Amino acid sequence: MAMDLSELTPLSSTASGKEAAYTSVTSFGSDPDSEFDDALVAAALPRVNGAVSHPQDLSDDGSTNGDDDADDDDDEDDEEGSEVSVESLFDDTIQELDDLLHEEDPEGYTYEKVTPEEGLALRKKLRDIGPTEFCNVTIESGAITAKKLLTAFNIRPPPYLEGAPDEAYYSLLSLAISRELSKRIKLPHWNSIDDAVDLIKKSRNIIVLTGAGISTSLGIPDFRSKDIGLYSKLEHLGLSDPQEVFDIELFRQDPTIFYSVARDILPDTERTTPTHAFIYLLQQKGKLLTNYSQNIDNIESTAGILPEKLIQCHGSFATASCIQCKYNVPGELIFPDIRAGRIPRCDRCIAALRQLKAPAAMKRKRSQNGQDKKKRRFDTNSDSEEEEDYDIPAAGVMKPDITFFGEALPDKFSERLTNHDKDKVDLVIVIGTSLKVAPVSEVVPYLPSDIPQIYISRETVSHVNFDIDMLGDCDIVVSEICRRAGWDLRHPMIPKDQVVNVVCQDPENAPHRHRFHEIKKE
């Protein structure tokens, strides 16, 4: 089967993955002789009763259009409706692509994959020679299968396609190529550690985007690390998805699930890390524009980051509110209950309940854990069947003001980003996050593509092209940066006379990627 990707063209560096995929599909349909194009369109377009329906054949309710004499207005409505249908489909398609990119391999599922170095070289070749020639020298030449080539874009071949002919992977591969071409292009003149130091020293409006990796040295677990991350430790809760522990609807139904793990992520209000000290140092030198933190531990505030410089994208433990009456208190007031394994209750609700005098007012058909009690039809030990059916109402549950799944991010997040930071930023530093949770993950691609971007974390990410990758323990990386910059970063966790070894592991294909390792003294 011939592969023709001549219609697949790179989008601007600010295009989204959805736009890239949508553009690729609408352009692929232009060549009626391309079997690869047909395969992609068949995979991507909506289906009606199992058959592919092209946009011009769909009405806005998803039904086929069989009336060729319909009014022009109706035709316009149909076309508009089909565009919405296709765009909606691509929302789902790109989300599935993200899932394949981020999922762990199922146990026992093996497949041939490229090495990280080969993948980097293949992605570079795609940009150097374009998609048409890229497919000629890879798939058409027989040098590699489409299934294996998927892994160059960090996509796991779906297990349900195991045993299928290689052509079955074409549509997914085309989306992966389209997504790769829609990414921001790395700025070629920033590569070395000295480049990173120079950028930090000369910049005056730095956005620092941080994640859980900057707090792990304090014993606070991150969320997604294999075997040691918080999500990997929640299997005993019996959740279909460990992220449900932060689901707002589930919290309202049963807060015990969240509070069973809350003590593990409860911050120590006194301690910070060298990375927090680094961000504070940027602020002291007049370089910090904004620290966008995904962390809920509020350690940035403890480190001295000013409120006007800090956006806690997912809220924090700094305050807590009653889910019933909205009474708000400093978060530290509920810490003793959390550490003791108790569900914190609202003092205002408790006071209000104590003021109720009439017994009838004290009765509601609810139990203290929020679940309806089952009526006991036969209970010889009960003085009153009615008394068994009713319960004293419980005070509202206090919830830390962290943003759960299902809750909107604070308005301050988007207002600061769009109305203040976008036009001022001159450097982006991302530290300790894999950028997998939207909408924070969209901050980096939203910013102007000509602004240099530095990434500091244990491992690389594949869905964002940073200009300089500095890999290793965040605390070690920032301490070495400061040493090279001639800055005095003081912190008790930084060893005296610390020696850090820095290695560029692949100078030919990835001169911008560096591994940091502290040399321990014997």
Side-chain angles (χ1 to χ4, degrees):
M1 178 180 289
M3 292 185 65
D4 180 8
L5 289 181
S6 60
E7 298 295 335
L8 182 59
T9 55
L11 303 180
S12 68
S13 60
T14 58
S16 67
K18 181 180 73 175
E19 290 168 340
Y22 186 78
T23 300
S24 69
V25 166
T26 54
S27 64
F28 274 143
S30 61
D31 182 0
D33 296 326
S34 170
E35 295 182 24
F36 178 75
D37 296 352
D38 292 342
L40 174 65
V41 173
L45 290 177
R47 294 176 178 268
V48 177
N49 296 328
V52 175
S53 296
H54 293 268
Q56 62 267 28
D57 299 326
L58 286 176
S59 67
D60 54 4
D61 63 356
S63 60
T64 54
N65 229 344
D67 186 0
D68 294 334
D69 299 325
D71 294 338
D72 292 342
D73 290 342
D74 292 339
D75 291 340
E76 292 176 2
D77 291 341
D78 292 343
E79 291 175 4
E80 181 180 354
S82 67
E83 290 175 3
V84 172
S85 299
V86 173
E87 184 170 348
S88 177
L89 178 70
F90 270 98
D91 283 333
D92 297 337
T93 303
I94 292 301
Q95 181 59 54
E96 291 174 3
L97 192 65
D98 283 337
D99 292 342
L100 287 171
L101 189 148
H102 295 136
E103 280 182 358
E104 297 286 343
D105 293 343
E107 185 175 354
Y109 178 56
T110 60
Y111 53 90
E112 191 177 9
K113 62 180 75 173
V114 302
T115 66
E117 293 73 22
E118 290 171 339
L120 190 64
L122 283 166
R123 294 193 298 273
K124 184 176 184 297
K125 183 184 290 290
L126 170 63
R127 289 191 179 275
D128 289 344
I129 66 178
T132 301
E133 184 61 21
F134 177 76
C135 288
N136 286 338
V137 300
T138 54
I139 303 297
E140 295 291 348
S141 69
I144 190 173
T145 64
K147 179 181 180 180
K148 183 177 180 180
L149 187 54
L150 274 177
T151 67
F153 302 99
N154 298 286
I155 303 297
R156 173 178 58 79
Y160 61 80
L161 287 179
E162 185 65 23
D166 202 47
E167 289 83 354
Y169 297 92
Y170 283 2
S171 58
L172 185 58
L173 178 60
S174 68
L175 285 172
I177 291 173
S178 180
R179 187 179 181 88
E180 178 66 26
L181 293 175
S182 73
K183 293 179 184 177
R184 168 188 180 271
I185 298 176
K186 176 193 168 336
L187 301 178
H189 45 288
W190 305 115
N191 293 288
S192 70
I193 302 301
D194 289 339
D195 290 338
V197 171
D198 289 343
L199 283 169
I200 293 171
K201 290 181 70 174
K202 77 176 186 180
S203 298
R204 290 293 179 268
N205 290 289
I206 302 175
I207 285 180
V208 180
L209 199 159
T210 51
I214 73 169
S215 298
T216 54
S217 58
L218 296 178
I220 300 174
D222 65 8
F223 291 89
R224 291 176 172 78
S225 291
K226 189 174 183 180
D227 298 326
I228 61 174
L230 181 66
Y231 288 156
S232 69
K233 300 178 180 180
L234 301 181
E235 295 180 358
H236 68 282
L237 295 177
L239 303 174
S240 58
D241 182 343
Q243 292 184 149
E244 288 181 357
V245 76
F246 294 104
D247 182 273
I248 187 59
E249 293 303 323
L250 190 59
F251 180 88
R252 291 190 178 111
Q253 294 171 18
D254 186 4
T256 60
I257 295 176
F258 168 75
Y259 281 115
S260 67
V261 300
R263 73 180 94 184
D264 294 331
I265 56 176
L266 195 64
D268 184 323
T269 56
E270 301 299 326
R271 300 175 64 202
T272 66
T273 70
T275 305
H276 291 98
F278 169 70
I279 301 169
Y280 177 73
L281 185 60
L282 293 178
Q283 176 181 275
Q284 292 301 95
K285 290 182 174 292
K287 296 176 174 292
L288 181 64
L289 179 62
T290 306
N291 177 194
Y292 289 89
S293 174
Q294 298 178 88
N295 298 335
I296 58 178
D297 50 36
N298 199 42
I299 298 178
E300 295 86 359
S301 296
T302 303
I305 307 303
L306 297 172
E308 59 267 28
K309 296 281 189 181
L310 177 62
I311 301 294
Q312 293 174 312
C313 305
H314 299 156
S316 77
F317 277 97
T319 57
S321 300
C322 174
I323 63 173
Q324 187 167 301
C325 74
K326 310 305 179 186
Y327 180 53
N328 187 263
V329 301
E332 59 196 40
L333 294 183
I334 69 171
F335 287 3
D337 279 335
I338 296 177
R339 292 193 174 103
R342 297 188 298 264
I343 296 177
R345 297 286 181 173
C346 174
D347 289 340
R348 177 181 286 179
C349 287
I350 292 173
L353 290 172
R354 286 173 178 168
Q355 292 177 1
L356 294 176
K357 302 298 184 181
M362 294 288 289
K363 296 178 180 180
R364 294 182 184 173
K365 207 167 187 177
R366 303 286 292 178
S367 67
Q368 287 196 4
N369 64 5
Q371 303 296 317
D372 290 338
K373 296 186 70 174
K374 294 182 179 180
K375 184 176 180 180
R376 300 184 185 181
R377 298 182 60 190
F378 305 100
D379 188 353
T380 57
N381 295 324
S382 175
D383 293 334
S384 167
E385 181 179 317
E386 182 179 341
E387 286 296 322
E388 288 291 344
D389 283 348
Y390 285 83
D391 208 354
I392 296 175
V397 173
M398 298 299 294
K399 171 186 168 293
D401 290 330
I402 60 180
T403 305
F404 277 47
F405 293 107
E407 293 184 301
L409 266 64
D411 292 338
K412 187 180 178 183
F413 167 76
S414 58
E415 290 173 0
R416 176 86 178 188
L417 180 64
T418 58
N419 300 329
H420 184 269
D421 289 355
K422 183 180 180 182
D423 296 329
K424 291 186 176 183
V425 60
D426 56 11
L427 177 63
V428 179
I429 305 178
V430 178
I431 315 178
T433 173
S434 56
L435 292 176
K436 292 181 180 178
V437 178
V440 177
S441 60
E442 299 302 322
V443 170
V444 173
Y446 173 77
L447 295 171
S449 60
D450 60 336
I451 300 300
Q453 298 179 0
I454 295 173
Y455 184 68
I456 302 173
S457 196
R458 291 190 179 276
E459 300 297 336
T460 60
V461 293
S462 60
H463 54 294
V464 182
N465 289 328
F466 288 99
D467 300 311
I468 304 175
D469 290 336
M470 295 187 281
L471 309 178
D473 184 290
C474 299
D475 295 340
I476 293 174
V477 173
V478 298
S479 65
E480 178 64 12
I481 289 174
C482 289
R483 187 191 68 79
R484 296 192 182 203
W487 294 354
D488 186 14
L489 181 65
R490 297 185 180 182
H491 193 281
M493 293 174 65
I494 300 177
K496 186 178 180 180
D497 301 324
Q498 181 185 56
V499 177
V500 177
N501 184 42
V502 183
V503 177
C504 181
Q505 295 177 312
D506 189 1
E508 181 177 352
N509 294 310
H512 66 293
R513 189 164 294 163
H514 311 273
R515 178 72 63 177
F516 287 63
H517 177 71
E518 181 181 11
I519 300 176
K520 300 290 186 180
K521 295 182 179 180
E522 296 182 359

